[in-house]
Amino acid sequence: MRNTEHKIKEIIPGSIAEELELEAGDTLVSVNGQEIEDVFDYHYYMNDELVTVLVRKPDGEEWELEIEKEYEEDLGIVFESSLMDEYRSCRNKCIFCFIDQMPKGMRETLYFKDDDSRLSFLQGNYVTLTNMSDHDIDRIIRYHLGPINISFHTMNPQLRCRMLNNRFAGDIFPKVERLAAAGIEMNGQIVLCKGVNDGEELEYSLEQLTQYLPALRSVSVVPVGLTKFREGLYPLEPFDQEDAKGVIDCIERWQKKIYDRYRLHFVHASDEWYLLAGRSLPEAERYDGYLQLENGVGMLRLLHEETMEALAERAEDAGQGSDGGRVREISLATGMLAAPYLRLLYEEIRKEYPQVRLHIYEIENRFFGERITVSGLLTGQDLIAQLEGRALGEELLLPVNMLRSREEVFLDDITVKELESALQIKVRIVESSGYDFVEAVTGVPLPRKKEEFDE
Ligand code: SF4
């Protein structure tokens, strides 16, 4: 039996819920007379100007409250579980799963294998659809939720079963067809494994995926991440430069084909492929509005565009450097992958701000192994070990993606404060836009941020 009553954990100060004298410990029983299964139902029924909420107080008394509000206005209730339900774990055992390749002894929550469509809508997680019922699909269609991010990996049903180690993994396509027919926006990803779903299999998958256009707005192809902890796991090999060139050629061929018909490039190689192949990144227009940035698709191109925009906008400050011309010596640590690219951006910044001296340090990932080259998987211990004794200047800049979910803590539980004290340096966490990058490097506050221009 599903639990359809939801304990309130917290009331946001100044919210409608506080005005109504709702309190932590109360229980939400229904909205508009409907039982609430989870956060999908809650948001759907709450999106109204007039709602009736039934709440049970701890002494058993029930309050029926008629509430007038703005259409999408939130009541300000925090529930004990943010999904208003148990998190659904995955039913697969993928041959490339990153969690299986993590060392023992890390924080418990990092080992949780979620595959919950609700997290796809709320946080952009990718889901395999293997544990999604028809009832879930019905609700997504009924509430017209979207976009949903789907891990396809291949369109060959037998191969999908083998890759996900799940004999039902090849059954998802009718579900995708239903979502596409209902116009639910989707994005797809393919984690590419050498000798498994690349080559002809990739060509086949890309061809088949076009049938879901235009509901399926984009498909990213990302290389499998391989750590040094693969003992006993499926033998997977890393891609080399020639492989990367082949993958890019295949994707760019499909982009041209699809663009002619749909005015959409649709399939995208993640940044890693271009860096590995030593090829220049696609121009901004080819990313169709950067639909899969969080998946490392177009991040570096966007960073470049924003950096150049930010520099152009602050042209009148040019040549002043920080503090009216004072030399600003700072450092930045990043993964092996992005470091060369950040150096190019630094050269651009130096043309306008010659007083800035930025030391860029690429940090080898000794924790997970040297094949992991992205900054988002670097740990505090690798940073400390490899930055000790280096020239760090007055501040150390670190990209925000090195921290766990915006907490001040790295993947290995070392905190920013601990790192600061070990290296005796002030750390500045840099948000991901080029505007933030220019601001952090120059030390000169931005006159206006990009978002403000966009508003
Ligand atoms: S779906 Fe596959 S990759 Fe994702 S957590 Fe489950 S086993 Fe790992």
Side-chain angles (χ1 to χ4, degrees), residues 55-97:
V55 172
R56 187 179 313 113
K57 304 299 278 183
D59 63 3
E61 190 186 348
E62 290 195 341
W63 291 8
E64 190 174 72
L65 305 163
E66 284 201 355
I67 304 164
E68 260 190 80
K69 62 179 192 60
E70 299 292 322
Y71 184 77
E72 286 188 346
E73 196 176 1
D74 188 46
L75 293 191
I77 297 176
V78 179
F79 293 96
E80 282 189 340
S81 150
S82 60
L83 289 184
M84 302 175 76
D85 195 11
E86 307 259 298
Y87 283 74
R88 281 185 211 160
S89 61
C90 88
R91 293 184 185 159
N92 314 313
K93 194 156 186 350
C94 302
I95 59 172
F96 50 82
C97 182

Side-chain angles (χ1 to χ4, degrees), residues 177-412:
E177 271 156 36
R178 282 194 64 203
L179 294 172
I184 301 297
E185 285 187 3
M186 298 176 275
N187 296 298
Q189 77 160 345
I190 292 176
V191 172
L192 209 64
C193 300
K194 190 167 170 168
V196 179
N197 58 342
D198 57 351
E200 283 177 15
E201 289 290 351
L202 177 62
E203 295 274 356
Y204 175 77
S205 293
L206 296 181
E207 184 187 4
Q208 291 295 307
L209 283 164
T210 59
Q211 69 184 284
Y212 304 129
L213 272 156
L216 181 63
R217 305 179 305 170
S218 68
V219 173
S220 62
V221 179
V222 301
V224 61
L226 299 175
T227 78
K228 62 183 181 187
F229 304 101
R230 287 203 56 85
E231 214 181 298
L233 299 177
Y234 186 93
L236 285 174
E237 289 299 313
F239 288 100
D240 61 24
Q241 189 178 29
E242 285 311 302
D243 299 324
K245 286 178 184 167
V247 170
I248 293 171
D249 288 345
C250 165
I251 287 170
E252 293 190 342
R253 233 181 8 257
W254 276 100
Q255 284 185 337
K256 281 199 192 90
K257 232 190 262 184
I258 296 166
Y259 190 80
D260 287 344
R261 183 144 174 227
Y262 294 95
R263 314 315 280 169
L264 205 66
H265 295 88
F266 184 62
V267 50
H268 308 278
S270 65
D271 297 354
E272 242 179 300
W273 293 111
Y274 287 93
L275 298 173
L276 184 58
R279 294 226 182 126
S280 39
L281 296 164
E283 60 283 16
E285 298 68 42
R286 245 199 293 156
Y287 287 103
D288 297 336
Y290 301 105
L291 294 167
Q292 296 207 36
L293 268 182
E294 299 291 320
N295 216 11
V297 180
M299 273 171 91
L300 290 176
R301 168 53 69 202
L302 184 61
L303 182 69
H304 181 269
E305 298 288 300
E306 289 175 343
T307 299
M308 299 313 286
E309 274 173 37
L311 286 172
E313 276 158 22
R314 345 170 19 142
E316 53 231 59
D317 299 330
Q320 291 178 18
S322 57
D323 293 347
R326 179 178 73 81
V327 169
R328 171 173 166 79
E329 186 181 354
I330 50 169
S331 52
L332 179 153
T334 184
M336 307 291 282
L337 193 73
Y341 208 78
L342 292 181
R343 284 204 178 91
L344 295 179
L345 292 184
Y346 167 50
E347 287 310 317
E348 295 295 336
I349 294 174
R350 275 210 81 188
K351 287 181 194 161
E352 307 293 336
Y353 295 87
Q355 286 87 348
V356 172
R357 304 270 184 282
L358 173 64
H359 305 279
I360 298 181
Y361 296 115
E362 52 258 87
I363 305 296
E364 187 185 289
N365 199 323
R366 296 178 189 156
F367 187 88
F368 286 116
E370 60 185 25
R371 287 173 185 166
I372 301 294
T373 54
V374 294
S375 58
L377 290 171
L378 285 172
T379 52
Q381 53 190 273
D382 274 341
L383 288 166
I384 293 171
Q386 293 172 57
L387 291 173
E388 224 154 27
R390 313 289 288 265
L392 298 177
E394 58 195 82
E395 271 187 330
L396 168 64
L397 313 184
L398 296 178
V400 68
N401 66 355
M402 280 186 191
L403 302 179
R404 273 295 293 172
S405 313
R406 305 198 157 258
E407 296 166 50
E408 294 270 289
V409 59
F410 298 93
L411 265 180
D412 57 352

